[in-house]
Amino acid sequence: GDSVTQMEGPVTLSEEAFLTINCTYTATGYPSLFWYVQYPGEGLQLLLKATKADDKGSNKGFEATYRKETTSFHLEKGSVQVSDSAVYFCALTNNAGNMLTFGGGTRLMVKP
Amino acid sequence: GAGVSQSPRYKVAKRGQDVALRCDPISGHVSLFWYQQALGQGPEFLTYFQNEAQLDKSGLPSDRFFAERPEGSVSTLKIQRTQKEDSAVYLCASSLGHLSGNTIYFGEGSWLTVV
């Protein structure tokens, strides 16, 4: 079945550092790929998405590119802020679009 | 409404008690999903509705779990005879339709603790 693998956290960075959170996937067909963010005490929020190969999703300074050849969707940000501290989840939907499969999540801690 | 609304936000249940968790999806959203998120884990799929039809319930962990959406809007997830291992956050989500790429929006979750 479909699966998503993320780098384990926590990832601890200083403010303004460069961020990469790795995500790889296994899926049949052509899934859509997502990054969701969960701030402390809050629900999951969609951060960005990409629906086909080579698409780049971007939002709030975060970017991720759908790489079919490496089955990856790594999350990057050039300069993190303390307010980016959260848990980040990589996810994909199946071809029917009726089920999200999540990775285990990566906790990011940004120190001032 | 503006977003997916879930209630109660927090529930403490004694082992063996029945609980019911409610979800109000975004108005007009056809698809509705329930997920279970254990502490420190990613959400795991439980069940999926398209309008009032429950099209997939493969993720429900046992027959103690039951979900319904009788009028194609509000949904209820019921857990009978709760056990400690049922302690988790139960997330409801909705989307406009069933096409791949449709954004799925999540509620804040119902935090269930079974003691």
Side-chain angles (χ1 to χ4, degrees), chain A residues 32 36 46 49 96 98 100, chain B residues 33 35 37 98 100-101 103-104:
Chain A
S32 294
Y36 279 83
L46 177 66
K49 69 176 184 180
N98 59 14
L100 268 171
Chain B
F33 310 83
Y35 284 78
Q37 186 178 16
H98 59 279
S100 181
T103 299
I104 298 174

Side-chain angles (χ1 to χ4, degrees), chain B residues 32-58:
Chain B
L32 185 145
F33 310 83
W34 284 99
Y35 284 78
Q36 181 190 57
Q37 186 178 16
L39 192 64
Q41 309 276 326
E44 298 273 348
F45 171 80
L46 292 177
T47 187
Y48 158 65
F49 291 85
Q50 188 172 321
N51 295 306
E52 68 279 3
Q54 189 174 20
L55 299 186
D56 189 338
K57 54 182 181 179
S58 61

Side-chain angles (χ1 to χ4, degrees), chain A residues 23-27 33 66-74:
Chain A
C23 170
T24 57
Y25 68 90
T26 302
L33 302 175
Y66 188 162
R67 301 284 189 203
K68 191 168 175 62
E69 64 276 14
T70 54
T71 61
S72 65
F73 193 55
H74 304 321

Side-chain angles (χ1 to χ4, degrees), chain B residues 26-92:
Chain B
I26 294 172
S27 179
H29 278 197
V30 168
S31 297
L32 185 145
F33 310 83
W34 284 99
Y35 284 78
Q36 181 190 57
Q37 186 178 16
L39 192 64
Q41 309 276 326
E44 298 273 348
F45 171 80
L46 292 177
T47 187
Y48 158 65
F49 291 85
Q50 188 172 321
N51 295 306
E52 68 279 3
Q54 189 174 20
L55 299 186
D56 189 338
K57 54 182 181 179
S58 61
L60 295 177
S62 78
D63 59 8
R64 295 186 296 104
F65 287 70
F66 172 75
E68 60 183 4
R69 194 186 186 197
E71 297 178 0
S73 179
V74 170
S75 176
T76 304
L77 176 67
K78 297 179 180 177
I79 309 173
Q80 297 177 321
R81 304 181 305 281
T82 52
Q83 303 295 313
K84 286 195 173 183
E85 60 263 27
D86 300 334
S87 297
V89 180
Y90 290 86
L91 298 170
C92 179

Side-chain angles (χ1 to χ4, degrees), chain B residues 4-41:
Chain B
V4 179
S5 178
Q6 293 188 244
S7 61
R9 287 291 317 279
Y10 304 94
K11 174 71 178 177
V12 178
K14 291 185 178 178
R15 190 160 57 96
Q17 190 178 357
D18 296 350
V19 300
L21 308 176
R22 176 189 168 101
C23 173
D24 273 284
I26 294 172
S27 179
H29 278 197
V30 168
S31 297
L32 185 145
F33 310 83
W34 284 99
Y35 284 78
Q36 181 190 57
Q37 186 178 16
L39 192 64
Q41 309 276 326

